[in-house]
Amino acid sequence: MKFGLILVAGLVALAGCGTGDGSPTTAGAPISPVPQSAAGTPASAEYNDADVMFLQMMIAHNNQGVEIVKLVHAKQAQQQQLKDLAAAIEATQQTESADMRNWLKSWGKPETGSMDPHAHHHHGGDGLTDKGLLEALSKKDGKDFSLDFADIFVAHQHNGVALARTELKDGKNPEAKALAQRIMDSRTGEVQQIRTLVPGQ
């Protein structure tokens, strides 16, 4: 089952909304470096509502992304390169989230946005993957797990790119916009790598 098809509607809607460097390698093709945010980088005081929304939504998105890639290790996926990529993604997104939390704190803004399920409706949604898909993924093993993981995570990272694209369009804070560009670059690279590592994705 191609889970990516299930998520594409949310991705299209999200794309139109507004308001260290590690490079693990294994035998075979190298895992490309995954751009990371500069841990501890302070954000300037100039920001707008779009910056705040982006950081809040991206922290939640990264948290879920880490949850997804941790399944690769829990399921003991046979591909070492897939494990290496998962580890690099986890480290990158944790570093990004640490910076984003610090920036929101420095602005006196909460880490999470409104809990109202309709709060992000005019932004195209919250960019998160349906929890039911993750529960189903957690019950898979072997090749079935790898294929479904690739489908789900590719769609998840596309959603991250859409969030970053909106920040580049509507944001004001230079550090948040620079992070958005790094996210676009890294997620695009990760999608390409996953498609290479999981034939048939």
Side-chain angles (χ1 to χ4, degrees), residues 80-117:
Q80 185 60 45
Q81 285 183 296
L82 189 58
K83 288 183 178 181
D84 290 342
L85 178 58
I89 290 171
E90 181 178 352
T92 295
Q93 296 190 179
Q94 287 178 334
T95 299
E96 291 170 352
S97 293
D99 275 346
M100 291 189 285
R101 290 187 182 97
N102 287 335
W103 296 346
L104 287 170
K105 183 177 180 179
S106 72
W107 298 341
K109 300 295 181 179
E111 180 179 317
T112 57
S114 172
M115 298 302 290
D116 182 347

Side-chain angles (χ1 to χ4, degrees), residues 44-87:
S44 58
E46 184 180 20
Y47 68 91
N48 61 15
D49 289 343
D51 295 314
V52 174
M53 178 74 74
F54 167 65
L55 297 185
Q56 291 172 336
M57 294 174 73
M58 202 67 219
I59 287 172
H61 189 271
N62 276 5
N63 287 345
Q64 191 177 58
V66 169
E67 177 185 349
I68 297 171
V69 296
K70 280 183 175 180
L71 288 174
V72 173
H73 296 282
K75 291 294 179 178
Q76 298 182 336
Q78 294 181 352
Q79 288 181 288
Q80 185 60 45
Q81 285 183 296
L82 189 58
K83 288 183 178 181
D84 290 342
L85 178 58

Side-chain angles (χ1 to χ4, degrees), residues 6-188:
I6 297 174
L7 301 179
V8 70
L11 169 61
V12 171
L14 184 60
C17 73
T19 126
D21 178 8
S23 54
T25 60
T26 62
I31 299 298
S32 300
V34 181
Q36 297 187 21
S37 64
T41 300
S44 58
E46 184 180 20
Y47 68 91
N48 61 15
D49 289 343
D51 295 314
V52 174
M53 178 74 74
F54 167 65
L55 297 185
Q56 291 172 336
M57 294 174 73
M58 202 67 219
I59 287 172
H61 189 271
N62 276 5
N63 287 345
Q64 191 177 58
V66 169
E67 177 185 349
I68 297 171
V69 296
K70 280 183 175 180
L71 288 174
V72 173
H73 296 282
K75 291 294 179 178
Q76 298 182 336
Q78 294 181 352
Q79 288 181 288
Q80 185 60 45
Q81 285 183 296
L82 189 58
K83 288 183 178 181
D84 290 342
L85 178 58
I89 290 171
E90 181 178 352
T92 295
Q93 296 190 179
Q94 287 178 334
T95 299
E96 291 170 352
S97 293
D99 275 346
M100 291 189 285
R101 290 187 182 97
N102 287 335
W103 296 346
L104 287 170
K105 183 177 180 179
S106 72
W107 298 341
K109 300 295 181 179
E111 180 179 317
T112 57
S114 172
M115 298 302 290
D116 182 347
H118 302 293
H120 304 294
H121 180 70
H122 62 290
H123 296 280
D126 58 12
L128 297 179
T129 300
D130 183 87
K131 291 183 179 180
L133 295 180
L134 301 188
E135 182 178 353
L137 178 63
S138 70
K139 297 176 181 177
K140 298 290 183 70
D141 290 293
K143 185 177 181 180
D144 287 341
F145 170 81
S146 295
L147 287 171
D148 288 351
F149 162 78
D151 285 335
I152 289 173
F153 200 67
V154 164
H156 185 81
Q157 297 302 70
H158 276 313
N159 286 346
V161 168
L163 288 173
R165 187 179 293 117
T166 298
E167 167 63 13
L168 290 172
K169 176 178 176 289
D170 298 327
K172 182 178 183 180
N173 180 264
E175 290 78 24
K177 290 171 75 72
L179 173 60
Q181 185 61 60
R182 289 196 297 273
I183 285 172
M184 286 189 66
D185 294 341
S186 67
R187 275 39 167 191
T188 300

